[in-house]
Amino acid sequence: MSACVPTRTSDSTRTQRTHPPHSPPSGPNRRFRIAGTDVSASIAVFLIALPLSLGIALATGAPLQAGLVAAAVGGIVAGCVGGCPLQVSGPAAGLTVVTADLIQRYGWRTTCAVTVLAGLAQLGLGCLRVARTALAVSPAIVHGMLAGIGVTIAVAQLHIVLGGTPQSSVLDNLRALPAQLAGLQPAAVAVSTLTLSLLLLWPRIPGRAGRLLRKVPAALVAVAGATAAASLAGLTLPRVDLPSWRSHALAGLPEGPALGVAAAVLTITLVCSVQSLLGAVAVDKLIASRSDLISSPTGRAPRVGRSDLDRELLGQGAANIVSGALGGLPVAGVAVRSSANVQSGAVSRNSTMLHGVLVVIAALLMVPILELIPLASLAALVMAVGIQMVSLHHIRTVTRHREVLVYAVTTLGVVFLGVLEGVTLGIAVAVAVALNRLTHTRITHHEQEGVHHVHVRGQLTFLAVPRLSRALHLVPHGTPVVVELDGSFMDHAAYEALQDWQKTHTAQGGTVELTGRRLGTGATAPAQTGTSADCRCRPWTPWRNHQCSATGSHDPGPGDPRSGDPRSGDLGSGPLAPATSTATPPATATTTATTGGTTPPGATAHGGTPVHAHQLVRGISAFQRNTAPLVRGELARLAREGQQPTQLFLTCADSRLVTSMITSSGPGDLFVVRNVGNLVPPPDEKSGDDSVAAAIEYAVDVLKVRSVTVCGHSGCGAMQALLGSEPGGEQTPLKRWLRHGLPSLERMADDGRPWARLAGRAPADAVEQLCLTNVVQQLDHLRAHDSVARALRAGALELHGLYFHVGEAQTYLLTGRDGSELFDHVGHRV
């Protein structure tokens, strides 16, 4: 087999191309160049922004041109200056209630002046670099604020949908609703119904035609369809009225009480800043899902970096100053338009700026067409946006995190009192909930099979010491006790109370085992010569590196201060140390044992149990005590419903490759097949292997997985064996199995095939080159299986190749970009 070893490892040109094959090297960068994807994305965003800008202006009671001014300024100014290149800014539904209230109180010119002052405040905050601080606001408050604004918008626009006029507050709108229903206008209702129907049904058109039609935004289709229907039917309805730009009102000096104007500036600044910064973070997550934006075509640097939030705040401030001065609405980052921008293929800030230019062109040249739009259609569009702001996903999330009270109070406060008042109430409730969690500690005591269990759930502070003492004194003298600390903080008073009780109880012949979320510490009576460990383990710590193990040379001996042994007079520096916190997930917690002393290497523990078997038992014990209670509910659900994995993951049996770790997956996510060399035998009688083929058939045909991944890794022993093996000799089971890797070796030696390569660097050696080539070859074997071929033809299955570099802890994804076998970095995705 040595004749198959490749001889072209010195050919570095195959893995160091700096430009696509058969293409001349790129020339100097042009100063002004707009990518085609930016042009198409800007058109898509423009088609969404145009009707929404008019609708939001209508909902606020501002001149309709103000929405167009804000959309143009948000695209051009915020797009040019902002720190999130792909975020699209403009008039936002989240500002509708605040702006409408300002217009009713102070008039339009003062509202424009408030917008300018809010922009100046944002510039100041950006210069102070406090953007990250704004993200400290509880998500329950932000989502509650947006939900309250959405309810207010929907209730107000419902009156226009029915052919009437909205009132000044939610309560007034609700009181006037029965009369409005009694006198509804059929024409307005018909146009609104058509708009909502198109808005809901357009994204759900099935089949190939649906995929093509969905490229046109649903908002544009809904408004255009309703406008065309109203015009063809000759309906008499209030329509968009765009006066001459010569009469457009600009900002004036603020008029009104200084305190009220200051509160208005604070509200606009708060809502604009928080919405824009959260939008920038959301755009970063969308960018992370696009591999073409994570790295440049050469694979060396990101095309679109992470957002600079301080610069984004400066950009939003500049946009609000310009928009307010020109008589536009307040500007903020808009989630719908930003999402459309990223999903439409935008690669730079040019798409955002070009969409602003298109809005300017439309505002100057398309006035006759825009004036055909019925106001009822725009109201229906904005009402749908308001309803969508009350997100069921957000409600489920805050409920799961036990913050539904904060969410509900903020929502109701915004609806009935106002945005600033509602947010203030939400912050107050959030602080109260946090203090309650800090001070509320549940302490229980029960006996099970002669062992007394004291469970402390919550933070252990001096306020809980009396209850802790009462529970501990219920434990009889001389009995075994397990004290479980299910919290992340303990102050000095609680620490001393627990330490004093532990010393007294062990002196009276009892045993004490202290466990917690982070780790376990324990103590036994001196008569039992017990030791325990201060576990400093972190996620995925190998057994041999565990500091909490009672076996091996890492264990502290009796009396060592690290051990928590009673003879040291200290509980140790683990979770029982006062005023400490832990961030280690519960799944990594370990349980201490009360074994006798230190076990030498190669010896046995627990009456003849081998040390390594004891390590396994200890790991299982840690799972049963600390992790099983946390996952039992999910596993019970999987037991009832059966497994429904979405992925078949075929990888090597190498012990360094922990599939659940590198994929961040949990129970029920992956159907895993492991073997030596991550090999997929071809499906023929001569060389087939029924075990792998059966797993593939079961995963694809029975479990209906949507994806199959072949994952190789660096330093693979199977690939080393393939490269170093000689022909002939005894055919051991390992050699017979490795024959399924011979096609990979032949593929690498074939001069007519391109080599598989890594983005940014050449393979380190022939072994790494074979590891990469083997992934590509095994994917070819996979395609030859009947079940896989059928699923691929039906479009029900995807195949992926991965390469995990153990030493770098870096995963590479086979992209096949430019027709080559390229493994690209999988970067950080937030």
Side-chain angles (χ1 to χ4, degrees), residues 400-548:
R400 188 168 61 249
H401 290 89
R402 297 184 298 165
E403 294 185 329
V404 69
L405 179 62
V406 178
Y407 179 91
V409 169
T410 306
T411 300
L412 294 175
V414 170
V415 169
F416 294 109
L417 299 177
V419 174
L420 188 60
E421 293 84 353
V423 171
T424 303
L425 277 177
I427 292 175
V429 173
V431 171
V433 169
L435 290 175
N436 178 67
R437 289 177 180 173
L438 182 62
T439 58
H440 182 70
T441 305
R442 182 182 177 188
I443 303 174
T444 59
H445 165 260
H446 69 278
E447 182 184 358
Q448 183 178 1
E449 299 179 355
V451 179
H452 290 260
H453 295 263
V454 177
H455 187 189
V456 180
R457 182 173 299 169
Q459 317 312 319
L460 200 53
T461 65
F462 67 94
L463 296 173
V465 169
R467 283 180 288 141
L468 176 64
S469 298
R470 284 195 297 269
L472 293 176
H473 281 84
L474 293 176
V475 178
H477 299 313
T479 57
V481 185
V482 175
V483 179
E484 184 175 353
L485 304 176
D486 188 4
S488 58
F489 177 84
M490 176 189 297
D491 69 4
H492 194 74
Y495 168 74
E496 285 195 344
L498 190 56
Q499 185 184 40
D500 292 343
W501 172 84
Q502 181 197 24
K503 290 179 179 179
T504 302
H505 190 75
T506 53
Q508 294 172 346
T511 64
V512 179
E513 184 178 353
L514 300 165
T515 66
R517 277 186 174 231
R518 175 187 175 195
L519 41 92
T521 59
T524 62
Q528 292 185 345
T529 320
T531 64
S532 62
D534 171 18
C535 177
R536 292 177 290 275
C537 303
R538 289 296 180 263
W540 308 108
T541 302
W543 283 336
R544 63 176 180 167
N545 294 334
H546 270 245
Q547 300 299 319
C548 58

Side-chain angles (χ1 to χ4, degrees), residues 115-295:
T115 302
V116 173
L117 294 175
L120 291 172
Q122 286 180 299
L123 286 181
L125 293 175
C127 292
L128 293 174
R129 306 186 68 81
V130 297
R132 288 282 174 189
T133 306
L135 297 180
V137 179
S138 169
I141 297 175
V142 177
H143 298 324
M145 177 189 72
L146 295 177
I149 292 172
V151 170
T152 307
I153 292 172
V155 173
Q157 297 309 299
L158 180 58
H159 284 269
I160 301 179
V161 166
L162 298 175
T165 303
Q167 305 300 315
S168 59
S169 69
V170 175
L171 289 175
D172 291 339
N173 281 321
L174 291 175
R175 292 192 194 101
L177 194 56
Q180 186 65 63
L181 290 171
L184 57 82
Q185 301 294 323
V189 173
V191 169
S192 301
T193 303
L194 178 60
T195 302
L196 292 174
S197 300
L198 289 173
L199 196 63
L200 294 175
L201 297 177
W202 188 259
R204 293 170 173 80
I205 299 176
R208 186 183 219 176
R211 287 196 296 271
L212 294 175
L213 292 174
R214 284 195 296 271
K215 293 182 179 180
V216 182
L220 177 68
V221 172
V223 173
T227 302
S231 300
L232 293 175
L235 298 179
T236 302
L237 289 167
R239 299 177 187 268
V240 169
D241 181 19
L242 293 174
S244 171
W245 284 101
R246 295 177 182 176
S247 61
H248 179 63
L250 303 179
L253 293 176
E255 297 178 359
L259 189 61
V261 172
V265 172
L266 176 62
T267 304
I268 293 288
T269 303
L270 172 68
V271 178
C272 287
S273 301
V274 172
Q275 183 168 342
S276 299
L277 295 176
L278 292 177
V281 174
V283 169
D284 283 345
K285 295 179 181 180
L286 292 174
I287 290 173
S289 65
R290 283 181 50 187
S291 58
D292 61 318
L293 293 179
I294 296 174
S295 60

Side-chain angles (χ1 to χ4, degrees), residues 681-819:
D684 58 79
E685 295 182 359
K686 180 179 179 181
S687 60
D689 179 271
D690 287 342
S691 65
V692 178
I696 294 171
E697 180 182 347
Y698 184 76
V700 175
D701 291 344
V702 179
L703 297 177
K704 304 295 184 183
V705 296
R706 301 289 300 171
S707 166
V708 181
T709 300
V710 176
C711 178
H713 67 96
S714 61
C716 181
M719 300 302 105
Q720 296 178 34
L722 275 174
L723 284 172
S725 62
E726 297 290 340
E730 182 183 358
Q731 288 299 305
T732 64
L734 178 60
K735 286 187 176 181
R736 287 196 297 271
W737 170 253
L738 288 180
R739 74 183 186 277
H740 301 304
L742 291 177
S744 302
L745 201 61
E746 295 166 358
R747 185 189 191 105
M748 189 172 72
D750 186 354
D751 290 327
R753 290 177 179 266
W755 270 10
R757 58 195 179 94
L758 293 170
R761 68 173 179 88
D765 50 28
V767 174
E768 185 168 47
Q769 182 64 69
L770 183 56
C771 292
L772 297 171
T773 304
N774 184 56
V775 173
V776 180
Q777 182 63 39
Q778 301 311 314
L779 286 172
D780 285 351
H781 290 179
L782 196 58
R783 294 184 184 95
H785 285 258
D786 291 339
S787 56
V788 174
R790 286 194 302 270
L792 288 174
R793 286 194 299 268
L797 187 67
E798 296 178 353
L799 301 185
H800 301 288
L802 287 181
Y803 174 74
F804 182 72
H805 194 288
V806 177
E808 298 174 356
Q810 175 64 53
T811 305
Y812 297 82
L813 175 66
L814 179 61
T815 62
R817 195 165 57 211
D818 301 329

Side-chain angles (χ1 to χ4, degrees), residues 40-119:
S40 60
S42 68
I43 295 173
V45 175
F46 160 73
L47 295 177
I48 295 173
L50 190 62
L52 281 176
S53 300
L54 293 172
I56 291 171
L58 172 67
T60 61
L64 295 183
Q65 295 103 317
L68 299 177
V69 171
V73 171
I76 297 172
V77 178
C80 178
V81 181
C84 182
L86 301 190
Q87 175 162 253
V88 180
S89 300
L95 294 162
T96 302
V97 176
V98 181
T99 309
D101 182 62
L102 288 178
I103 293 173
Q104 290 179 356
R105 289 190 182 187
Y106 306 114
W108 173 240
R109 290 182 179 275
T110 298
T111 300
C112 293
V114 168
T115 302
V116 173
L117 294 175

